[in-house]
Amino acid sequence: MDCNWNDKYGAINPDSALDFLPREQLRALQSQRLSAMVALAYENVPLHRKRMDELGVKPSDIRSIDDISKLPFTQKTDLRDTYPYGLFAVPLSEIVRLHASSGTTGKPIVVGYTREDMDVWAGALKRCLLMFGLTRADIVQVSFGYGLFTGGLGLHGGAEALGCTVIPASGGNSERQLMMLKDFCATAMACTPSYFIHLIDTAQKLGLDMRSFPIKVGVFGAEPWSDQMRKYIEQNAGIEAFDIYGLSEIAGPGVGGECREHDGIHILEDNFYPEIVDPKTGEPLPDGEEGELVLTTLGKRAMPILRYRTHDITSIIAEPCACGRTVRRIRRIGRRSDDMFIIRGVNVFPSQIEAALMRVAECSPHYRILLERKRDLDSVTVEVELNPDAYTDNIASLEALRKRIQASIMNIVNIKIDVRLVEAGKIERSEGKAKRVVDLRKI
Ligand code: DLL
C-alpha cells in the first residue's frame, strides 16, 4: 500500500492541496467564502437575519475572516425550533439528501445538502482518507450505521470519491463483519472505536487473530476515545488507528482528521472555520487555551451555519504540524460542556429520555441514567420510579409497563435501552441540580 502521498517525505497529492495552502492564501479564501456565506444566510434564512439584525450586523460588515466574531452564535435549540427545514437557505427542490441527529427532546434535528454540498462533503472526507494514507488501491469496510446517521453514507461517499473499493457493511453482526474483513481483504475499516474493540474481542473468542488479517488502517470517530484505547486497538489488530471528527450540523464526518503524526485533528478550515470560546461567556479564547469549539461552515449552500456551539471541549494547536499541513489542529475531543452522552456512536440527551418517560402516564419524574461498559460495549440503564398508584403486585402488568417505557424511549433515541422499575424513594433526591446521569464507564 502506498502510504506516502501526504506525509512530510512525499509529494503533495493535488486533491489535498488545500491542506497545504500558505496561511495568507488560506485566510484570503476563508474571507471570501465567509462573506458569500453570510450574504446567503442573511438573505435566505429568517433566523440568521433576525439574529444579525438584533446585533446590528449587516452582511457588508463581514469583509474578512477576522469579522467572524461579530456574528451571532447558532445553537442546537435553533435547529430544534426551526424543525424540520427552517434553516434551509435554498428551496427543497435543490436538496438532494437529508440526514438527522439527536435533538435535545422529542424530535431529531434535520440537516440538508445540495448536490454541490454533497461534493464538498465527499471532498472533505477524501482529504481525511488521504491523510490516513489511503489510496484508490484500498478496500474500505464502512461499518458505521447507514441511514439518517451521517457516519455510514458519509464515509461511503468519501471512500468512493477517492476511488477505493467500498464494502457498505453498516453496523452490527460482528461475526459477519469479521468474515467480510477477512474474506474481502479489507485494508481499512471505518466504525466507532468501541465497536472495533468489540470486534477484536469477538475475533479472539472465535480463535481468530486480527493481526493476520489484511486490514492496516482504522478510521475511528463519532465518540470520544483515549490513547489507551488506541494502543489496545493498534496492538491487538496490528493496524494504525486514526481519529476522524465531525458533526451532523456542520457536515457529518470529515470536519477534520488526524494525520500520520497523530498529534491532534487537522480541521479542514477552508470549509469549516474553528474558533474556541469560553463555554460560559461565549468570549473568544486565544489559540492554545481550552474551551468550547465553535464552527462556521464556509462552503455550505443548503444550510449555512454561523458560529455553531458544538459543546465539544478542546483547544486549537496553532504550531505548524510536522506533516506540513497548514490547516490548524485541535486537540482530540475528550469531553463536552453539556450533558449529552454517546452510546455506541448514538448521541443521547438526558432530556430526550425524560421526554420519553413523561409520555408514559405511570412514570414519576424521579429517574436516573446509568452508563456502564458491559463486555466492552457501552450500555445504558434507565431506573425510574412510578407514580404511587401505578405500583402493583401484578408482575405481568409491571413487565408490560416496563416494555412500554422501553418502547417510548426507543421511539425517541432510536437505540434499545434497558429499563428498570424501582421502588418509590430509591432514586436519591437532590437539593440542587438533579444528577441524572451516573457514568460508570472507564474510557
Ligand atoms: O458523530 C459524525 C461522525 C460520524 C463523526 C462518523 C465521525 C465519524 P453526530 O451524530 O452529529 O455526528 O455527533 C457529533 O459526536 O459533537 C462529538 O461530541 C462527537 N464526536 C464525533 N466525532 C468524534 C471524535 C457524528 N472523533 C458529536 N472524537 C460531536 C470525540 C466525537 N467525539
Short mmCIF file of all heavy atoms in Angstrom, two decimals, residues 365-407:
data_model
loop_
_atom_site.label_atom_id
_atom_site.label_comp_id
_atom_site.label_asym_id
_atom_site.label_seq_id
_atom_site.Cartn_x
_atom_site.Cartn_y
_atom_site.Cartn_z
N PRO A 365 -41.46 11.72 37.99
CA PRO A 365 -40.31 12.48 37.47
C PRO A 365 -38.98 12.05 38.08
O PRO A 365 -37.97 12.67 37.82
CB PRO A 365 -40.63 13.93 37.86
CG PRO A 365 -41.87 13.91 38.65
CD PRO A 365 -42.28 12.50 38.91
N HIS A 366 -38.98 10.99 38.90
CA HIS A 366 -37.73 10.56 39.53
C HIS A 366 -37.10 9.43 38.73
O HIS A 366 -37.62 8.32 38.68
CB HIS A 366 -37.99 10.10 40.98
CG HIS A 366 -38.66 11.17 41.78
ND1 HIS A 366 -38.06 12.36 42.05
CD2 HIS A 366 -39.90 11.22 42.34
CE1 HIS A 366 -38.88 13.13 42.74
NE2 HIS A 366 -40.01 12.45 42.93
N TYR A 367 -36.00 9.75 38.10
CA TYR A 367 -35.31 8.74 37.29
C TYR A 367 -33.83 9.02 37.29
O TYR A 367 -33.38 10.11 37.66
CB TYR A 367 -35.85 8.78 35.85
CG TYR A 367 -35.44 10.01 35.09
CD1 TYR A 367 -34.30 10.01 34.30
CD2 TYR A 367 -36.17 11.20 35.19
CE1 TYR A 367 -33.91 11.16 33.64
CE2 TYR A 367 -35.79 12.34 34.53
CZ TYR A 367 -34.65 12.31 33.74
OH TYR A 367 -34.24 13.45 33.10
N ARG A 368 -33.03 8.00 36.93
CA ARG A 368 -31.61 8.25 36.68
C ARG A 368 -31.11 7.32 35.57
O ARG A 368 -31.72 6.28 35.29
CB ARG A 368 -30.77 8.13 37.95
CG ARG A 368 -30.77 6.78 38.57
CD ARG A 368 -29.79 6.75 39.73
NE ARG A 368 -29.58 5.36 40.12
CZ ARG A 368 -28.56 4.96 40.84
NH1 ARG A 368 -27.66 5.81 41.27
NH2 ARG A 368 -28.42 3.67 41.15
N ILE A 369 -30.02 7.74 34.97
CA ILE A 369 -29.50 7.03 33.80
C ILE A 369 -28.11 6.50 34.16
O ILE A 369 -27.22 7.28 34.50
CB ILE A 369 -29.39 8.01 32.61
CG1 ILE A 369 -30.77 8.61 32.30
CG2 ILE A 369 -28.80 7.33 31.38
CD1 ILE A 369 -30.71 9.87 31.47
N LEU A 370 -27.96 5.18 34.12
CA LEU A 370 -26.66 4.58 34.46
C LEU A 370 -25.94 4.19 33.18
O LEU A 370 -26.49 3.48 32.33
CB LEU A 370 -26.88 3.29 35.27
CG LEU A 370 -27.61 3.42 36.60
CD1 LEU A 370 -27.84 2.04 37.20
CD2 LEU A 370 -26.78 4.27 37.56
N LEU A 371 -24.70 4.66 33.04
CA LEU A 371 -23.90 4.29 31.88
C LEU A 371 -22.83 3.32 32.35
O LEU A 371 -22.10 3.60 33.28
CB LEU A 371 -23.20 5.52 31.28
CG LEU A 371 -24.08 6.70 30.92
CD1 LEU A 371 -23.25 7.79 30.27
CD2 LEU A 371 -25.17 6.26 29.97
N GLU A 372 -22.77 2.16 31.68
CA GLU A 372 -21.79 1.15 32.08
C GLU A 372 -21.12 0.58 30.84
O GLU A 372 -21.61 0.77 29.73
CB GLU A 372 -22.48 0.00 32.81
CG GLU A 372 -22.99 0.37 34.19
CD GLU A 372 -23.97 -0.66 34.70
OE1 GLU A 372 -25.14 -0.63 34.27
OE2 GLU A 372 -23.55 -1.50 35.49
N ARG A 373 -20.00 -0.08 31.06
CA ARG A 373 -19.41 -0.82 29.95
C ARG A 373 -19.51 -2.29 30.29
O ARG A 373 -18.89 -2.75 31.23
CB ARG A 373 -17.96 -0.37 29.74
CG ARG A 373 -17.33 -1.06 28.58
CD ARG A 373 -16.25 -0.23 27.93
NE ARG A 373 -16.81 0.95 27.27
CZ ARG A 373 -16.11 2.05 27.05
NH1 ARG A 373 -14.88 2.13 27.41
NH2 ARG A 373 -16.67 3.08 26.44
N LYS A 374 -20.36 -3.01 29.52
CA LYS A 374 -20.54 -4.44 29.79
C LYS A 374 -19.96 -5.20 28.61
O LYS A 374 -20.36 -4.93 27.47
CB LYS A 374 -22.04 -4.78 29.88
CG LYS A 374 -22.70 -4.29 31.15
CD LYS A 374 -24.15 -4.80 31.19
CE LYS A 374 -24.94 -4.08 32.26
NZ LYS A 374 -26.37 -4.12 32.03
N ARG A 375 -19.09 -6.14 28.88
CA ARG A 375 -18.45 -6.91 27.83
C ARG A 375 -17.98 -5.97 26.71
O ARG A 375 -18.40 -6.05 25.58
CB ARG A 375 -19.38 -7.99 27.26
CG ARG A 375 -19.55 -9.18 28.20
CD ARG A 375 -20.58 -10.17 27.72
NE ARG A 375 -21.89 -9.86 28.26
CZ ARG A 375 -22.90 -9.39 27.57
NH1 ARG A 375 -22.78 -9.18 26.30
NH2 ARG A 375 -24.04 -9.14 28.16
N ASP A 376 -17.19 -5.03 27.03
CA ASP A 376 -16.61 -4.00 26.18
C ASP A 376 -17.58 -3.19 25.32
O ASP A 376 -17.17 -2.42 24.47
CB ASP A 376 -15.43 -4.49 25.31
CG ASP A 376 -15.50 -5.93 24.90
OD1 ASP A 376 -16.11 -6.27 23.87
OD2 ASP A 376 -14.94 -6.72 25.66
N LEU A 377 -18.86 -3.30 25.54
CA LEU A 377 -19.78 -2.41 24.83
C LEU A 377 -20.50 -1.53 25.84
O LEU A 377 -20.83 -1.97 26.94
CB LEU A 377 -20.82 -3.23 24.05
CG LEU A 377 -20.39 -3.76 22.68
CD1 LEU A 377 -21.57 -4.44 22.00
CD2 LEU A 377 -19.86 -2.64 21.80
N ASP A 378 -20.73 -0.29 25.43
CA ASP A 378 -21.44 0.62 26.32
C ASP A 378 -22.89 0.18 26.49
O ASP A 378 -23.52 -0.29 25.54
CB ASP A 378 -21.45 2.03 25.73
CG ASP A 378 -20.07 2.65 25.79
OD1 ASP A 378 -19.26 2.17 26.58
OD2 ASP A 378 -19.84 3.61 25.06
N SER A 379 -23.40 0.32 27.70
CA SER A 379 -24.83 0.04 27.88
C SER A 379 -25.43 1.10 28.79
O SER A 379 -24.73 1.74 29.58
CB SER A 379 -25.03 -1.35 28.48
OG SER A 379 -24.76 -1.30 29.85
N VAL A 380 -26.72 1.31 28.60
CA VAL A 380 -27.44 2.31 29.39
C VAL A 380 -28.60 1.63 30.08
O VAL A 380 -29.30 0.82 29.47
CB VAL A 380 -28.09 3.38 28.47
CG1 VAL A 380 -28.46 4.60 29.27
CG2 VAL A 380 -27.23 3.72 27.31
N THR A 381 -28.79 1.96 31.33
CA THR A 381 -29.98 1.50 32.04
C THR A 381 -30.68 2.73 32.61
O THR A 381 -30.03 3.59 33.20
CB THR A 381 -29.60 0.57 33.22
OG1 THR A 381 -28.77 -0.47 32.71
CG2 THR A 381 -30.83 -0.04 33.87
N VAL A 382 -31.98 2.78 32.39
CA VAL A 382 -32.76 3.87 32.99
C VAL A 382 -33.51 3.29 34.18
O VAL A 382 -34.23 2.29 34.03
CB VAL A 382 -33.75 4.47 31.97
CG1 VAL A 382 -34.67 5.47 32.65
CG2 VAL A 382 -33.00 5.12 30.84
N GLU A 383 -33.29 3.86 35.36
CA GLU A 383 -34.05 3.46 36.54
C GLU A 383 -35.12 4.51 36.76
O GLU A 383 -34.81 5.71 36.79
CB GLU A 383 -33.15 3.39 37.76
CG GLU A 383 -32.15 2.24 37.70
CD GLU A 383 -31.37 2.07 39.00
OE1 GLU A 383 -31.23 3.05 39.76
OE2 GLU A 383 -30.91 0.95 39.26
N VAL A 384 -36.36 4.06 36.91
CA VAL A 384 -37.43 5.04 37.08
C VAL A 384 -38.41 4.60 38.19
O VAL A 384 -38.70 3.40 38.31
CB VAL A 384 -38.17 5.31 35.73
CG1 VAL A 384 -38.77 4.05 35.15
CG2 VAL A 384 -39.23 6.39 35.87
N GLU A 385 -38.81 5.57 38.97
CA GLU A 385 -39.87 5.32 39.97
C GLU A 385 -41.21 5.57 39.31
O GLU A 385 -41.33 6.43 38.43
CB GLU A 385 -39.71 6.26 41.16
CG GLU A 385 -38.51 5.95 42.02
CD GLU A 385 -38.39 6.93 43.19
OE1 GLU A 385 -39.39 7.54 43.60
OE2 GLU A 385 -37.25 7.09 43.68
N LEU A 386 -42.22 4.86 39.79
CA LEU A 386 -43.56 5.05 39.23
C LEU A 386 -44.36 6.02 40.10
O LEU A 386 -43.98 6.29 41.25
CB LEU A 386 -44.30 3.71 39.17
CG LEU A 386 -43.61 2.62 38.34
CD1 LEU A 386 -44.43 1.33 38.38
CD2 LEU A 386 -43.41 3.08 36.89
N ASN A 387 -45.43 6.53 39.56
CA ASN A 387 -46.36 7.29 40.38
C ASN A 387 -46.99 6.33 41.40
O ASN A 387 -47.18 5.15 41.08
CB ASN A 387 -47.45 7.93 39.51
CG ASN A 387 -46.86 9.10 38.74
OD1 ASN A 387 -46.02 9.83 39.25
ND2 ASN A 387 -47.29 9.25 37.50
N PRO A 388 -47.35 6.80 42.62
CA PRO A 388 -47.77 5.89 43.69
C PRO A 388 -48.87 4.91 43.26
O PRO A 388 -48.78 3.71 43.54
CB PRO A 388 -48.29 6.84 44.77
CG PRO A 388 -47.59 8.14 44.50
CD PRO A 388 -47.29 8.19 43.04
N ASP A 389 -49.88 5.38 42.52
CA ASP A 389 -50.98 4.45 42.19
C ASP A 389 -50.63 3.48 41.07
O ASP A 389 -51.42 2.61 40.72
CB ASP A 389 -52.27 5.24 41.87
CG ASP A 389 -52.00 6.31 40.85
OD1 ASP A 389 -50.83 6.41 40.40
OD2 ASP A 389 -52.96 7.02 40.48
N ALA A 390 -49.42 3.60 40.50
CA ALA A 390 -49.06 2.67 39.41
C ALA A 390 -48.36 1.42 39.94
O ALA A 390 -48.18 0.45 39.21
CB ALA A 390 -48.16 3.38 38.41
N TYR A 391 -47.94 1.43 41.22
CA TYR A 391 -47.30 0.23 41.76
C TYR A 391 -48.37 -0.84 41.98
O TYR A 391 -49.48 -0.55 42.41
CB TYR A 391 -46.59 0.54 43.09
CG TYR A 391 -45.30 1.29 42.88
CD1 TYR A 391 -45.22 2.66 43.11
CD2 TYR A 391 -44.14 0.61 42.46
CE1 TYR A 391 -44.03 3.36 42.90
CE2 TYR A 391 -42.95 1.30 42.25
CZ TYR A 391 -42.89 2.66 42.47
OH TYR A 391 -41.73 3.34 42.27
N THR A 392 -48.03 -2.08 41.66
CA THR A 392 -48.97 -3.19 41.83
C THR A 392 -48.18 -4.47 42.11
O THR A 392 -46.97 -4.53 41.84
CB THR A 392 -49.83 -3.38 40.54
OG1 THR A 392 -50.30 -4.72 40.51
CG2 THR A 392 -49.02 -3.16 39.27
N ASP A 393 -48.88 -5.50 42.64
CA ASP A 393 -48.22 -6.79 42.86
C ASP A 393 -48.25 -7.66 41.61
O ASP A 393 -47.68 -8.74 41.58
CB ASP A 393 -48.95 -7.57 43.98
CG ASP A 393 -48.75 -6.87 45.31
OD1 ASP A 393 -47.77 -6.09 45.41
OD2 ASP A 393 -49.57 -7.09 46.23
N ASN A 394 -48.96 -7.17 40.61
CA ASN A 394 -49.13 -7.96 39.40
C ASN A 394 -47.88 -7.85 38.51
O ASN A 394 -47.67 -6.86 37.81
CB ASN A 394 -50.38 -7.45 38.66
CG ASN A 394 -50.69 -8.30 37.45
OD1 ASN A 394 -49.80 -8.90 36.85
ND2 ASN A 394 -51.96 -8.35 37.09
N ILE A 395 -47.06 -8.90 38.56
CA ILE A 395 -45.76 -8.86 37.88
C ILE A 395 -45.94 -8.68 36.37
O ILE A 395 -45.21 -7.93 35.73
CB ILE A 395 -44.98 -10.19 38.13
CG1 ILE A 395 -44.79 -10.42 39.63
CG2 ILE A 395 -43.64 -10.20 37.40
CD1 ILE A 395 -43.76 -9.56 40.29
N ALA A 396 -46.95 -9.38 35.82
CA ALA A 396 -47.14 -9.32 34.36
C ALA A 396 -47.46 -7.89 33.92
O ALA A 396 -46.95 -7.40 32.91
CB ALA A 396 -48.25 -10.27 33.93
N SER A 397 -48.27 -7.20 34.70
CA SER A 397 -48.61 -5.84 34.25
C SER A 397 -47.43 -4.88 34.46
O SER A 397 -47.23 -3.95 33.69
CB SER A 397 -49.90 -5.34 34.90
OG SER A 397 -49.70 -5.12 36.25
N LEU A 398 -46.59 -5.16 35.47
CA LEU A 398 -45.39 -4.34 35.64
C LEU A 398 -44.43 -4.54 34.46
O LEU A 398 -43.83 -3.60 33.94
CB LEU A 398 -44.67 -4.68 36.95
CG LEU A 398 -45.27 -4.09 38.23
CD1 LEU A 398 -44.47 -4.55 39.45
CD2 LEU A 398 -45.32 -2.56 38.18
N GLU A 399 -44.32 -5.80 34.03
CA GLU A 399 -43.43 -6.11 32.91
C GLU A 399 -43.95 -5.45 31.63
O GLU A 399 -43.17 -4.90 30.83
CB GLU A 399 -43.31 -7.64 32.76
CG GLU A 399 -42.45 -8.13 31.61
CD GLU A 399 -41.01 -7.60 31.60
OE1 GLU A 399 -40.54 -7.07 32.63
OE2 GLU A 399 -40.37 -7.68 30.52
N ALA A 400 -45.27 -5.47 31.46
CA ALA A 400 -45.85 -4.82 30.27
C ALA A 400 -45.57 -3.31 30.31
O ALA A 400 -45.22 -2.70 29.29
CB ALA A 400 -47.36 -5.09 30.21
N LEU A 401 -45.67 -2.74 31.48
CA LEU A 401 -45.39 -1.31 31.63
C LEU A 401 -43.92 -1.01 31.32
O LEU A 401 -43.58 -0.06 30.61
CB LEU A 401 -45.73 -0.87 33.07
CG LEU A 401 -45.31 0.55 33.46
CD1 LEU A 401 -45.98 1.58 32.55
CD2 LEU A 401 -45.68 0.85 34.92
N ARG A 402 -43.03 -1.87 31.83
CA ARG A 402 -41.60 -1.69 31.59
C ARG A 402 -41.30 -1.68 30.09
O ARG A 402 -40.59 -0.85 29.57
CB ARG A 402 -40.83 -2.82 32.28
CG ARG A 402 -39.36 -2.57 32.51
CD ARG A 402 -38.65 -3.82 33.01
NE ARG A 402 -38.66 -4.86 31.98
CZ ARG A 402 -37.87 -4.88 30.93
NH1 ARG A 402 -36.98 -3.93 30.76
NH2 ARG A 402 -37.95 -5.85 30.03
N LYS A 403 -41.95 -2.61 29.38
CA LYS A 403 -41.74 -2.70 27.93
C LYS A 403 -42.27 -1.46 27.23
O LYS A 403 -41.71 -0.99 26.24
CB LYS A 403 -42.43 -3.96 27.39
CG LYS A 403 -41.74 -5.25 27.81
CD LYS A 403 -41.67 -6.22 26.64
CE LYS A 403 -40.75 -7.39 26.90
NZ LYS A 403 -41.45 -8.57 27.38
N ARG A 404 -43.40 -0.94 27.73
CA ARG A 404 -44.00 0.25 27.13
C ARG A 404 -43.05 1.45 27.29
O ARG A 404 -42.86 2.25 26.38
CB ARG A 404 -45.35 0.52 27.81
CG ARG A 404 -46.29 1.35 27.00
CD ARG A 404 -47.76 0.98 27.22
NE ARG A 404 -48.18 0.72 28.58
CZ ARG A 404 -48.51 1.66 29.49
NH1 ARG A 404 -48.44 2.94 29.19
NH2 ARG A 404 -48.91 1.30 30.69
N ILE A 405 -42.42 1.52 28.47
CA ILE A 405 -41.47 2.63 28.71
C ILE A 405 -40.27 2.48 27.77
O ILE A 405 -39.81 3.45 27.16
CB ILE A 405 -41.00 2.63 30.19
CG1 ILE A 405 -42.20 2.85 31.12
CG2 ILE A 405 -39.92 3.67 30.42
CD1 ILE A 405 -41.89 2.67 32.61
N GLN A 406 -39.81 1.24 27.64
CA GLN A 406 -38.67 0.98 26.77
C GLN A 406 -38.98 1.38 25.32
O GLN A 406 -38.16 2.00 24.64
CB GLN A 406 -38.34 -0.51 26.83
CG GLN A 406 -36.96 -0.85 26.37
CD GLN A 406 -36.60 -2.28 26.71
OE1 GLN A 406 -37.44 -3.18 26.65
NE2 GLN A 406 -35.36 -2.50 27.08
N ALA A 407 -40.20 1.06 24.90
CA ALA A 407 -40.60 1.40 23.52
C ALA A 407 -40.68 2.91 23.34
O ALA A 407 -40.31 3.46 22.30
CB ALA A 407 -41.94 0.75 23.19
#
